[in-house]
Amino acid sequence: DLRRNPTTNYIFSYDRMLDLKGNTAIYLLYAHARLESIMRKAKERHGVDVDDLVKPGSAARIVIGHPSERNLAVNLQMFADTIETTLEDLYPYHICDFLYGAATAASEFVTQCKVLGSPEMESRLLLCRATTVVMRQCFELLGIKAVYRI
């Protein structure tokens, strides 16, 4: 349970650690798998491969138009600051807090914004990709293996 500040008292609870809602590894992994599923479906159902969108020379760009897109993008921008803070005191809970914020923002984004089949599909798929890349970097730093399907 890396999300706790190690200088505070801690009571271990399996129920709290395995809760599907809230700041738990299961919730974070689910959020990642959900974004991966959306990108997989884009390729299978709409013929849009995110790998092609991120290639050099691609005209695809992220365009922020909806408040939940903006919220997610702003959240992702805090990644570098989070890493710097973690390097200062070596407490992994900073990364966990950041990751929870990103997962929550991503969940809000895919709930409020139609990704697949929308006019903004390419832009929103790129935002999904950016989010999964950052999430995987956080998972790696925390020693958690990312999952792509649940």
Side-chain angles (χ1 to χ4, degrees):
D1 195 2
L2 299 173
R3 68 183 174 164
R4 304 281 179 210
N5 182 333
T7 62
T8 60
N9 289 335
Y10 176 72
I11 298 172
F12 179 80
S13 167
Y14 275 115
D15 292 335
R16 201 170 42 231
M17 188 177 291
L18 299 175
D19 191 0
L20 294 175
K21 297 176 184 167
N23 193 354
T24 63
I26 303 236
Y27 175 77
L28 302 174
L29 291 167
Y30 171 77
H32 178 266
R34 185 177 182 193
L35 294 173
E36 288 291 339
S37 173
I38 290 169
M39 292 185 290
R40 224 178 7 263
K41 288 176 184 175
K43 185 175 182 180
E44 294 167 359
R45 297 180 185 171
H46 299 276
V48 179
D49 188 346
V50 181
D51 290 334
D52 292 338
L53 298 178
V54 297
K55 286 182 180 174
S58 170
R61 300 286 180 261
I62 296 176
V63 178
I64 306 298
H66 190 277
S68 65
E69 291 173 317
R70 183 182 188 287
N71 183 43
L72 179 55
V74 167
N75 192 287
L76 294 177
Q77 285 290 105
M78 294 186 286
F79 179 61
D81 292 336
T82 300
I83 297 304
E84 285 183 26
T85 301
T86 304
L87 289 172
E88 289 172 7
D89 64 14
L90 300 179
Y91 289 152
Y93 76 89
H94 300 297
I95 298 171
C96 295
D97 288 346
F98 166 81
L99 192 51
Y100 177 67
T104 302
S107 179
E108 177 185 311
F109 161 64
V110 297
T111 300
Q112 294 186 7
C113 296
K114 181 179 179 184
V115 177
L116 300 176
S118 71
E120 303 88 358
M121 183 167 68
E122 287 186 359
S123 171
R124 291 179 174 170
L125 286 170
L126 287 172
L127 191 53
C128 288
R129 169 57 69 88
T131 305
T132 59
V133 167
V134 170
M135 291 181 84
R136 282 194 301 273
Q137 289 176 339
C138 290
F139 289 146
E140 187 175 324
L141 290 168
L142 295 169
I144 298 171
K145 183 179 178 188
V147 295
Y148 295 81
R149 293 177 189 256
I150 290 185

